[in-house]
C-alpha cells in the first residue's frame, strides 16, 4: 500500500552492519524482525479468496418428516442468517412432491411462504434447483434438512452436478422415531 517505506532498507542495513550482535542467530532474528516491521509499515497485504457466497438451505417438508422438523429448520435458518455478512446471500428451497423456491438468494427469511404437496419427497429436484440458484462464478454451499428418504429420481446425479461446480452439500438428518411404528 505504501512502498515508500522500502527506502528504509538502506539505513537499516547500514545500522545492522555497523552494530553486529554476538552470534549468527541473534543477527538473523534481528534482520527478520526488522524486515517484518518494514513490511508492516509498507502495508503488505495478502489477498485471500473471499468466503462470502450464496448459501441455499433445502428443507424437506414431506409427510415423512417429524412434526417439529419445520420449526427446527426455521430456527436453523434464522441462526444461519444471523451469522451472515453483508456480502453473503441466503436462499431457501422447500420440497415435498416438488421443489419450490421459498426465498430467492439475497432476501430475508421470516417463515416458509410456499404451499407444498407433502405426499412425496423430491430430494433430487430440490438439490438441482438449489444448485441452479447459486451463480456460476461465485462460491456457494447447500445445506439440506431432510430425513434422506426420497421419492422419484435418485439424488446422486444432482449431488455430482453440485460437486462438479465445487458446491459443498452439508446435511442435517432429521428422522421420525421408529419405535412402535
Amino acid at each position: 500500500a505504501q512502498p515508500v517505506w522500502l527506502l528504509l532498507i538502506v539505513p537499516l542495513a547500514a545500522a545492522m552492519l555497523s552494530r553486529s550482535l554476538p552470534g549468527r542467530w541473534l543477527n538473523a532474528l534481528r534482520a527478520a524482525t526488522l524486515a517484518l516491521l518494514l513490511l508492516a509499515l509498507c502495508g503488505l497485504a495478502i489477498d485471500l479468496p473471499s468466503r462470502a457466497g450464496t448459501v441455499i438451505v433445502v428443507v424437506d417438508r414431506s409427510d415423512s418428516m417429524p412434526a417439529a422438523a419445520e420449526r427446527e429448520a426455521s430456527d436453523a435458518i434464522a441462526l444461519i442468517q444471523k451469522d451472515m455478512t453483508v456480502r453473503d446471500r441466503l436462499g431457501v428451497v422447500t420440497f415435498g412432491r416438488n421443489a419450490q423456491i421459498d426465498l430467492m438468494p439475497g432476501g430475508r427469511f421470516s417463515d416458509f411462504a410456499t404451499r407444498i404437496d407433502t405426499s412425496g419427497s423430491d430430494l433430487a429436484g430440490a438439490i438441482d434447483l438449489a444448485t441452479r440458484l447459486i451463480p456460476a462464478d461465485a462460491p456457494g454451499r447447500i445445506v439440506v434438512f431432510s430425513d434422506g428418504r426420497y421419492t422419484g429420481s435418485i439424488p446422486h446425479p444432482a449431488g455430482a452436478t453440485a460437486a462438479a461446480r465445487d458446491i459443498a452439500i452439508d446435511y442435517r438428518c432429521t428422522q421420525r422415531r421408529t419405535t412402535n411404528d
Side-chain angles (χ1 to χ4, degrees):
Q2 299 176 358
V4 71
W5 290 102
L6 290 175
L7 294 174
L8 289 177
I9 288 177
V10 175
L12 285 175
M16 283 182 51
L17 291 174
S18 68
R19 295 191 169 241
S20 180
L21 294 175
R24 279 191 293 178
W25 289 107
L26 288 176
N27 282 322
L29 183 62
R30 181 172 68 170
T33 303
L34 289 174
L36 289 174
L37 284 172
L38 187 60
L39 291 174
L41 283 172
C42 291
L44 178 68
I46 300 172
D47 189 21
L48 297 174
S50 173
R51 291 180 49 107
T54 304
V55 176
I56 306 295
V57 179
V58 176
V59 180
D60 186 351
R61 293 172 59 196
S62 66
D63 288 335
S64 65
M65 294 295 288
E70 196 170 307
R71 182 184 45 79
E72 290 174 6
S74 182
D75 292 344
I77 293 169
L79 286 173
I80 292 169
Q81 186 169 265
K82 185 181 92 173
D83 290 341
M84 295 183 98
T85 65
V86 176
R87 294 175 38 203
D88 294 322
R89 297 170 11 132
L90 174 70
V92 178
V93 171
T94 58
F95 70 98
R97 179 171 292 284
N98 297 311
Q100 295 181 8
I101 300 171
D102 213 311
L103 176 71
M104 287 297 289
R108 299 288 299 169
F109 180 79
S110 59
D111 201 7
F112 297 109
T114 58
R115 292 192 150 257
I116 297 292
D117 179 2
T118 60
S119 64
S121 187
D122 186 17
L123 180 59
I127 292 173
D128 186 49
L129 179 58
T131 302
R132 286 184 277 134
L133 287 176
I134 297 173
D137 59 342
R141 171 173 241 97
I142 298 172
V143 181
V144 179
F145 289 91
S146 177
D147 59 1
R149 297 181 181 156
Y150 58 88
T151 57
S153 61
I154 299 172
H156 297 118
T161 302
R165 288 191 43 205
D166 281 337
I167 298 172
I169 299 177
D170 300 312
Y171 69 93
R172 181 169 186 177
C173 187
T174 308
Q175 294 182 336
R176 284 184 185 271
R177 296 183 60 197
T178 56
T179 308
N180 298 327
D181 191 5

